[in-house]
Amino acid sequence: MKVHKFEKIWMSIGTGSLILFLVILGVSAVHAGHTPAASGIETIHPDYVRDDNRFSEPGLYESSEEGYDYDLYYVASAFRYEPAEVEVPQGSRVRMQVVTTDVVHGFQVVNTNINMMVEPGLVSTYGTNFNTVGEYLVICNEYCGVGHTDMTSVIKVVPEEGDAEDE
Ligand code: CUA
């Protein structure tokens, strides 16, 4: 079979780049430990969620994390959120962490861009500012069973202490 010279060059470029990319993939998988799962996500065993200090009594706590005023911990389970209600001072920078003890839930705060999937085994984290006073409804947007629509919680953003009570 006669193969044209340029055809040969073109074929070897194709084969060469395929090998190059496979080598890069192989090195990053074995050497750097990359996996298809996103890196940098904290894991937690769904059966031992309650053994974790943060989730034994979920709620609002002062944050030790740089750049945050508060940590807000939630435990999602069929079919409720804990805490069912929480007050957050206006203007605070909050790191939210949500875990589930059973199935996948969809943690969504209505009228905000807070929306994260909560998967068994993972700690879902989201940093946000609560600048506007008001009541924010937390819902579940991932079908999780018969009580799915009852899965709600309320975040009350209240004026900072010393401010007038009116908005
Ligand atoms: Cu939890 Cu739907």
Side-chain angles (χ1 to χ4, degrees), residues 60-61 67-72 87-96 127-132 155-160:
L60 191 74
Y61 294 90
Y68 291 100
D69 302 311
Y70 297 99
D71 291 327
L72 179 50
E87 284 194 358
V88 178
Q90 180 186 16
S92 44
R93 175 105 181 120
V94 178
R95 183 177 69 148
M96 307 174 90
T128 189
N129 277 343
F130 287 101
N131 290 327
T132 311
I155 298 172
K156 287 183 175 173
V157 179
V158 296
E160 281 179 282

Side-chain angles (χ1 to χ4, degrees), residues 38-114:
S39 52
I41 288 183
E42 187 192 347
T43 57
I44 189 168
H45 195 295
D47 290 348
Y48 303 113
V49 158
R50 299 292 182 181
D51 295 343
D52 189 296
N53 279 340
R54 297 168 293 177
F55 304 113
S56 56
E57 274 183 68
L60 191 74
Y61 294 90
E62 291 209 351
S63 183
S64 55
E65 202 73 18
E66 201 178 326
Y68 291 100
D69 302 311
Y70 297 99
D71 291 327
L72 179 50
Y73 304 121
Y74 277 97
V75 175
S77 59
F79 302 98
R80 65 199 189 117
Y81 284 118
E82 291 167 75
E85 186 183 309
V86 71
E87 284 194 358
V88 178
Q90 180 186 16
S92 44
R93 175 105 181 120
V94 178
R95 183 177 69 148
M96 307 174 90
Q97 294 202 309
V98 191
V99 294
T100 168
T101 59
D102 40 49
V103 295
V104 175
H105 299 280
F107 184 92
Q108 182 180 358
V109 185
V110 178
N111 292 331
T112 71
N113 53 8
I114 305 167

Side-chain angles (χ1 to χ4, degrees), residues 104-106 140-144 148 151:
V104 175
H105 299 280
C140 179
N141 63 18
E142 195 75 41
Y143 183 75
C144 52
H148 165 69
M151 253 188 101

